[in-house]
Every structure is written in structure tokens, then in C-alpha cells.
Amino acid sequence: MANPTLLKTLALVFLVASASAGRAEGLVADAVKPLLDGTVLTSGLLPHSVETKKIASEGAAAENLVPFEQSAEAYTLSGEDDVATFTFQLNGPQVAAGGTLNLAYVNAVSVLPDTAKVDIEVNGRDLGGFPIASPNGVKTEKVAVVSEFLRAGRNVVRLRARQHHRVDCSLDATYELWTKLDPAASGFASPVSTDFADFDSLLAVRRTAEQRTDIRVVLPALPDAEALNEAAPVLQALVLFLNRDDVTVSVADRPGTGPGIDLVMAMDRNGSATLAKLGLAGAPRGLSVQAGASAERARVVMRAANAGDIRAAVLAAVKGSMADGLKTGIFGTGRDVLAVDAGDRRTLKDAGYETRVFSGRLSRTDFSVEMPADFYPAEYATLDLRLSAATSPGLDQTAQLLVRVNDRVVKSYPFRNRTGEQFDGKRIELPLRAFRPGVNRIELLAELPMAADAACRPEERDDRKPRFILLDTTAIEVPALARVGRLPDLSALAGKAYPYGGGKAFDLVIDRADSQSVGAGLTLLSRLARSARTPLNARIEIGLPAQGTGRDALVISSRNDFAELGAAGKSAFPAEADIGASVADLLKPDPVLTASVSAGTGDETADLLQAFHNSTAAQQEDLSFGARAQLWLAAASNGFGRWLSYEGEDAAQAPHGEGALMTLSQMRSPDGLSTWTIVKAGSPRDVDAGVQRLVAPAVWRDLQGGTATIETASLALSSLPAAERYIADFADRSPGNLRRVAAAWFSDNFQIYVLLVLACLGAFAAWLGVTVPKRGVRSDR
């Protein structure tokens, strides 16, 4: 057997030789660390460090990997100092057995391996850490966790990544720093497998290869409205309990394969054969959890006689076996989201933030604020950020705090005091126009350059000298808000399920009873229920939406005669006579006119006249000076309006309707009594694929405007602002709210405000011109 000391010596010599060729970093993990002792002592998030054991074995625990509950969007730690929080579910035997925390990661090649590290906390207790050193591929760190650190139920893991750039010390270089975890290979590896026997065990269900939580509704026959209405409340309760934002729903007459959950609907009228076929004939009445055909799949069985029995069973589960999971999950606090209303004051601590000292160049802290669904964003008040922080002496004169709302910088505050300063609730006003109904992402960026950064000597960095501290007492204060429900507004739909939340009855209309269209409808219903944080009062129908009922509707369509539903620029459905082939199609008009008519108003004569004017319009160089000035003023006005609304040039561009995989539009119903939200595509397969892309967390949170499309090739989201909005709800008619709504409306229509001011000045001047001459001139003699 080779001498271990000799092996270590040879390995170190080999490492030094390789470092001179620029290849040492990859060899640290591959050559040296397996030979050296696997014990690392680091400073974690809490004051006391503990010894972290590296588990080299790739043993049988991989098949018992309990996944983190967060979706794939949450697995990136970026910048010089970032924190990510994850949760995972364990039962009593798993807690007693302990296990390992598996963290599979890859980092940017620009990360300096000498100082980069990740600190780990489990349930508030320091678990040590490990160096960040895997730029060439995924590497798995396995950290032992003893039973004393664990608890039955949800366990919380906090990771803090501190990393610096190899060669660049500019602020921009901090955006190149990242460490990404692999969601498929990260989680808690337990020697005890998860037995799907109760609702809490469902929280440990793994995701598919596409990183989606798969739920299949198993029905004994082709889905009809009655069966779907029976399944809808059970499905929504299950989705709320799981509290995952990456759920996709399918419908079939047999269970699914791979990781996921089968929701088996067994009604007395036709479910006995289904239960017998699945080996579940002994399942109890009501709602129960059963083991699936494979170890990675669970079954939730609803056995009932009618809809009344279903409601009773769901209610019993929510108040009983689901209660703890709901309380610590979707209704829990400290999950980076602050749900606020008028007059609220909330601190960063309420969002799960913990005070930490920062010693780098760019400190980034982000959290989300959930505004009411009927909030009217405009320039009538400000949302105040009360800053509790301090800066160190020696900062450069360019140091400042930037506040970004929904990825746009809305405020900057310079750190002017070169000797350092302390902020005790410093008021920083954020314009309400920058916010929108639903979820808003806020980032606090502290730019902290020093003169020494210009020399860029990473070896001289001293992280013991902090530059900035942001306290968890930093708060936001919400003013009195203008409350009026304005539609269309897809951001309110995504953030609060507006106008379908609040227990309001509406129709979910699916035009075809095939499995793909139905699956798309149930997937969208599940995503809206999670946004609303409550089950939705939906009645599912197969066919066409009904008019004259006054009920809002969510329509899933792939029929050809619905080709015009939700077309950009249209405020309602086309008339029945316009559905199908139009006169223009039959007569094959001039192609110069066709493009203009296709985006017309629905009035054929007006469209043809408009197309004629468009095709005969003079070129820019042929216009008179007055016409050019008019065009310039119009463009300047539109640009100023976009600036007021924090919109870029892309916001003024229409999405590409041609070739779109799916279109989502919101509009008034033809009778004007309700709101219809239309999801349309060319086929059931496209509807299913488009909805799955639409509900992806990264896409869903960016929904806004009145119309959105999912492009066929890139699957990118493209939004179109609402051309016109209408009032869908105006519950608060108090004088104060009426004043705020009026102020908000005038801020949106500032041209009218200016005209009114000028008109008042003109009327006053006219009054003076008429009144003064009549009074004459008084003489003192």
C-alpha cells in the first residue's frame, strides 16, 4: 500500500506545478481534496462555528434525496454577498436518523477561489461552510447534519455566498459573480425513505426532469364538466398545501409515471373500477394519501358520493391534517414577500431579512411587496422607505444607494459624508407610479467604492473592515391608496388573481374536452389559486362562454372560430357575423390594404379608408414644416408619457401576433357586463405548451399590460400595454378615495390638467378684460 504521507507530498508538488500553468483551480477539488483531511472550519452566519464533515461516499442516500421546496428560479446566489433560503420536509424517523445536506453547484469562472465561500445554517444553527471552487462543472458538497439540528416538519436552510472577482474591481464586475445550485441534485439525503402515507409527506415529492411539480388528475372517463367541477376544489387545496409555484396539471384515465402526485377522483357512480384497477379498493371514504406505484410517486384519493361530500372532506383536511403545512407554508411569514395595504408599516425583518455587515463594493438586498389588486398606481403620493443603515469612513464621492422597483431604478440617494454616516429611519420617497397591483420586486443597491479599489489588489483585500450595514429595522410605509379596479391588467391577474379572487364566482370555459385543453385550464386555475392564496370559486364549463350572465370568465380556446379572441387592439369579441372567413378573405383584396385591415377596428368601411390613407401617406421628407413639427410633438408627448410610467421603448411595441404559440388577452365581454380573459392558441397541444410556459415563475411574474404572447420559437414573453382601460370595481366611494382617484387620473392625463389650468387662466384674463374697463378710472381730484 502506498505511503499516505508520500501521496500527499506528491499531490502538493503536482498542484504547484499545475498552478504555474493556470490549472490549479480545477485540480484542488480533483486531486488534493480527496487525499487531504475532509474537515473544514469556517465562520458561518451565526457567531459560533461548528465542524463540517465532508462525505465522500456517493452511496445509497441519493435515491432518498428530499428536495428543496423552492422552484428552480431561487437557486442562484449572485454578487459579492448573497443569501438564499430553502426549506425541506422530514418525518420523525428521518429526523432521528440524521443525514447529509447535498449542495450541487457550479460557479462563474470569474470568482476568485482563494476567498470565496458558502456559509450554511440549518434551522438557525451554524453548520459551517465550504469554499466555492467549481467553475468547470457541477460539484456536490455533502455536509453531515446530526439529528439535533433537525425537526419534524419543515426545516429551513440558509446559504450565504461571499465571492470576489479575480481581476476586476469595478462595480460592474460584481454582476459577473454567481454561484448556481443544481435543483435536481440538491436537497437533504436521508437513509430513511419517505413513505407517502400522510399529507405532510407530499411536501417531499420530487420534481420532473423539467423541474416541474407534476400533478395528474385521474378520472375514469373522458373529462366532462361535472367531473372537473368535482376535482377542482380538491386540486386547489392540494396546490395551496404544496405551496409550489411550478405546478403543472394533466388529466388522464391512468396514473402518471416518474416523480409527482396522482389525484384519483373516485365517485360512487363510476369510481369503483378505477380503485380496483389501481389496487386502492380499500381506500377510506373522504380524502386520503396512499403510496404510488413507484417510490417517487404519491397518490391522493378522493372517495365520495357527491359534491357535498367532497366539500366536507376538503374542509376536514384543511382544518385537520393539512393545517400545519398550510400554516408554515403559504400562510407563513418571513418568505421575502410583504403583503401590504394602505397605512401599513412593515420592516425587512418581516420579509425574513437578517442584519448583516457588508465589506464589498456593491451590496444588494431584494424583497417583494404585494400591493392590493385594486391599487391605482399614479403620482398622487409616495411609498416611503425608512432607511436604517450606516456607512464607514473613506467611501468615494460616488457612493450612493439605488432603489430599483420591478427592475427599474426609481430613486438614488448619495452618501455624501466621507467620514461615514448613520441613518435612523431616513425617509426615501418612492413614487407610487413605479409599482403595480400584485407582487413588486424591490432591490436596494448600495454602491460603495473606495479609492483603494482602483489599485485592484485582491490579495490586499481586508474583509474585516466593513463598508456598510443595513439593519432589519429598515421599513416601508404605505400611504393612503387610490382604490379602483381598472382592467385590463395582467399584472393584477398574476399577482392577486384579479378579478377572479376574493370568493367571486366566475366561469372557467374550456372549448374542447380533450386532455390537453383541460390540463391547460386546470394548470392555470391552480396557478391563480396560489396567487390569490385561497381557492377560487370557479365553475368549469365545456363549450363557449355565455353572455348576459354578468359572470367573469376565463376562456381556454384552440378553436378556429375563436381566432380573433383577444386580438391586440380589440376591446371586445368580434360580432358573430365576423367570425370565420371575412369579406376581405373571400374577395382577396389588394395586399397593400390587407395588413392594415387585419389590425382594424371591426368596421370594414372605416378599416378600408384607414388602409387607403396609410398606403397614400406622404413620406417624412415630403411633409411640410408644420406637419413635421406636429409629428415631433406627438412623439415627444408619447415618450414623456412612457417616462412617467417607467416604460421603456419595448413597452410601446406590440407583441408579434404572427407565429405566436399562445396569446393571453383581457377585455370586456360583448355585453359589457363582465370581464373575459382569453387564452388562445392554434391547437390543444399549443394551448398546453403555452400555458406551461406562461405559469413558469420567471414568466408569470413579468405579466403586465392588456395582452401577452408566448413566442413559438424562443418561448419568450412579449407584452402589449392596454390601449384603453375600464373600471371593473369601485367599491370605496368615500370622499378621500374619490379625491385620490381624481388626482391619480389627472397625473395619468396631465395634458388635460394643463389645458384646464390654461383655460382657468384664460377665463380669469377675460373676466379682467371685461370687468376693469367698466369700472373706469378713479381720480384723486
Side-chain angles (χ1 to χ4, degrees):
M1 179 179 294
N3 190 329
T5 304
L6 178 61
L7 285 176
K8 291 183 180 181
T9 303
L10 291 175
L12 291 174
V13 171
F14 182 62
L15 173 62
V16 172
S18 301
S20 62
R23 295 182 288 121
E25 178 182 344
L27 295 170
V28 171
D30 299 335
V32 178
K33 290 182 70 177
L35 300 174
L36 301 179
D37 182 72
T39 302
V40 179
L41 198 64
T42 64
S43 59
L45 295 170
L46 295 180
H48 303 289
S49 301
V50 296
E51 192 177 51
T52 302
K53 296 180 179 180
K54 306 298 180 184
I55 308 299
S57 172
E58 298 286 344
E63 63 179 1
N64 299 327
L65 186 69
V66 179
F68 294 140
E69 296 180 76
Q70 285 64 35
S71 61
E73 311 298 327
Y75 284 69
T76 300
L77 296 99
S78 57
E80 294 178 305
D81 193 337
D82 198 8
V83 172
T85 302
F86 303 98
T87 56
F88 61 93
Q89 175 76 19
L90 296 180
N91 57 32
Q94 290 173 327
V95 170
T100 61
L101 193 66
N102 288 7
L103 300 173
Y105 76 97
V106 63
N107 60 271
V109 68
S110 56
V111 174
L112 179 67
D114 298 349
T115 59
K117 59 181 178 180
V118 170
D119 300 327
I120 309 171
E121 276 185 9
V122 174
N123 295 325
R125 302 179 67 174
D126 188 10
L127 201 64
F130 59 87
I132 301 174
S134 183
N136 300 319
V138 176
K139 176 183 179 182
T140 301
E141 293 285 347
K142 298 190 175 185
V143 184
V145 186
V146 296
S147 60
E148 289 77 9
F149 280 42
L150 303 172
R151 61 192 179 203
R154 278 187 166 96
N155 293 258
V156 181
V157 176
R158 285 174 61 88
L159 305 179
R160 181 180 181 182
R162 285 177 281 185
Q163 48 200 357
H164 308 101
H165 204 285
R166 287 175 179 268
V167 295
D168 194 344
C169 296
S170 66
L171 287 174
D172 292 339
T174 62
Y175 291 95
E176 301 175 10
L177 304 173
W178 53 262
T179 296
K180 295 182 179 179
L181 298 178
D182 181 1
S186 299
F188 183 82
S190 172
V192 180
S193 62
T194 300
D195 295 326
F196 296 118
D198 54 25
F199 283 99
D200 287 340
S201 65
L202 298 178
L203 299 175
V205 167
R206 301 182 66 177
R207 292 175 170 85
T208 63
E210 294 76 24
Q211 291 307 306
R212 296 295 182 90
T213 300
D214 174 49
I215 298 180
R216 171 168 290 190
V217 180
V218 181
L219 299 173
L222 289 177
D224 56 17
E226 181 183 16
L228 295 177
N229 281 300
E230 292 168 343
V234 187
L235 174 64
Q236 293 183 78
L238 180 59
V239 169
L240 292 173
F241 177 78
L242 292 175
N243 192 29
R244 298 188 184 184
D245 56 5
D246 54 9
V247 171
T248 58
V249 183
S250 60
V251 178
D253 60 354
R254 59 176 61 90
T257 58
I261 301 174
D262 294 319
L263 173 55
V264 181
M265 298 298 298
M267 307 303 293
D268 287 351
R269 65 178 181 272
N270 56 10
S272 299
T274 300
L275 292 176
K277 182 171 62 176
L278 299 178
L280 299 172
R285 299 192 68 81
L287 196 58
S288 63
V289 177
Q290 308 288 332
S294 63
E296 56 185 0
R297 198 163 186 91
R299 288 172 179 169
V300 176
V301 181
M302 169 55 75
R303 192 169 186 178
N306 50 47
D309 287 351
I310 292 176
R311 287 191 295 269
V314 171
L315 184 60
V318 168
K319 291 183 176 181
S321 53
M322 285 185 174
D324 290 341
L326 291 169
K327 183 178 179 180
T328 60
I330 197 166
F331 299 130
T333 58
R335 299 290 186 224
D336 302 325
V337 178
L338 298 175
V340 300
D341 208 332
D344 284 352
R345 186 182 192 274
R346 306 292 298 275
T347 66
L348 294 187
K349 186 176 182 179
D350 297 330
Y353 173 79
E354 295 182 0
T355 298
R356 62 179 184 268
V357 175
F358 182 74
S359 59
R361 292 156 292 172
L362 180 63
S363 169
R364 297 195 292 180
T365 303
D366 62 88
F367 59 97
S368 295
V369 173
E370 188 179 276
M371 301 294 284
D374 59 351
F375 152 65
Y376 190 162
E379 299 290 351
Y380 57 89
T382 60
L383 187 148
D384 295 336
L385 174 69
R386 294 290 183 174
L387 180 65
S388 297
T391 61
S392 65
L395 293 182
D396 192 75
Q397 61 182 359
T398 60
Q400 63 178 335
L401 176 72
L402 299 177
V403 183
R404 300 177 64 182
V405 179
N406 297 324
D407 298 325
R408 299 188 183 279
V409 176
V410 300
K411 198 71 174 183
S412 63
Y413 180 81
F415 295 142
R416 303 183 186 279
N417 194 334
R418 305 277 74 81
T419 61
E421 53 188 326
Q422 180 175 329
F423 305 98
D424 298 314
K426 171 66 180 176
R427 182 187 182 194
I428 299 178
E429 299 179 338
L430 308 180
L432 281 180
R433 186 181 294 279
F435 293 81
R436 61 194 184 199
V439 179
N440 299 264
R441 185 165 179 260
I442 300 179
E443 294 177 274
L444 307 181
L445 306 176
E447 296 183 348
L448 309 163
M450 284 185 168
D453 293 340
C456 198
R457 298 188 180 94
E459 68 278 2
E460 298 180 4
R461 180 188 302 276
D462 187 2
D463 289 338
R464 294 173 299 178
K465 296 179 62 177
R467 303 187 186 188
F468 182 70
I469 181 172
L470 179 66
L471 303 180
D472 59 8
T473 54
T474 297
I476 60 168
E477 295 177 349
V478 183
L481 302 173
R483 306 296 289 269
V484 56
R486 301 184 308 149
L487 294 176
D489 192 343
L490 295 181
S491 63
L493 176 76
K496 301 285 286 186
Y498 188 76
Y500 305 113
K504 185 178 181 180
F506 69 97
D507 295 329
L508 171 57
V509 183
I510 305 172
D511 67 343
R512 300 186 185 189
D514 62 85
S515 60
Q516 291 176 316
S517 297
V518 171
L522 294 179
T523 297
L524 190 55
L525 177 65
S526 301
R527 190 62 184 84
L528 289 172
R530 188 185 182 279
S531 295
R533 290 188 174 88
T534 185
L536 302 181
N537 188 8
R539 181 181 66 193
I540 302 177
E541 296 182 351
I542 305 296
L544 303 179
Q547 299 186 36
T549 63
R551 291 168 61 95
D552 294 334
L554 177 62
V555 183
I556 309 294
S557 173
S558 61
R559 293 174 52 155
N560 292 332
D561 56 359
F562 271 56
E564 294 299 320
L565 292 185
K570 292 185 178 289
S571 60
F573 281 92
E576 185 175 352
D578 294 333
I579 295 177
S582 65
V583 174
D585 295 329
L586 296 175
L587 297 182
K588 296 183 179 179
D590 190 304
V592 176
L593 304 180
T594 302
S596 299
V597 174
S598 64
T601 63
D603 185 337
E604 185 178 338
T605 302
D607 289 343
L608 290 173
L609 287 174
Q610 183 61 46
F612 173 79
H613 291 311
N614 291 342
S615 61
T616 58
Q619 298 298 321
Q620 181 75 16
E621 58 271 14
D622 299 330
L623 295 177
S624 64
F625 176 79
R628 292 183 185 181
Q630 186 176 2
L631 288 175
W632 182 86
L633 288 174
S637 176
N638 291 336
F640 185 58
R642 289 196 299 272
W643 175 79
L644 282 177
S645 301
Y646 298 95
E647 296 176 356
E649 291 296 328
D650 54 340
Q653 299 175 359
H656 303 290
E658 290 295 329
L661 177 69
M662 188 202 73
T663 300
L664 172 68
S665 299
Q666 202 171 61
M667 65 197 69
R668 277 189 184 275
S669 61
D671 54 21
L673 301 177
S674 58
T675 297
W676 287 2
T677 302
I678 313 297
V679 176
K680 69 181 182 70
S683 67
R685 182 185 63 179
D686 290 348
V687 165
D688 186 43
V691 167
Q692 288 198 35
R693 176 61 177 169
L694 180 71
V695 301
V699 176
W700 185 258
R701 67 167 178 255
D702 289 336
L703 277 178
Q704 58 183 317
T707 301
T709 62
I710 301 296
E711 301 297 333
T712 302
S714 64
L715 294 181
L717 173 71
S718 182
S719 298
L720 178 68
E724 294 183 1
R725 286 185 173 176
Y726 59 91
I727 296 177
D729 182 27
F730 199 6
D732 185 357
R733 299 180 182 272
S734 64
N737 191 54
L738 290 174
R739 179 190 62 80
R740 289 188 293 271
V741 170
W745 187 87
F746 276 119
S747 71
D748 276 346
N749 301 274
F750 63 92
Q751 303 93 334
I752 297 178
Y753 180 78
V754 172
L755 290 176
L756 286 176
V757 172
L758 293 176
C760 291
L761 291 175
F764 180 68
W767 176 79
L768 288 177
V770 171
T771 303
V772 171
K774 289 182 179 180
R775 298 295 181 182
V777 179
R778 186 177 66 181
S779 175
D780 292 336
R781 292 183 298 174

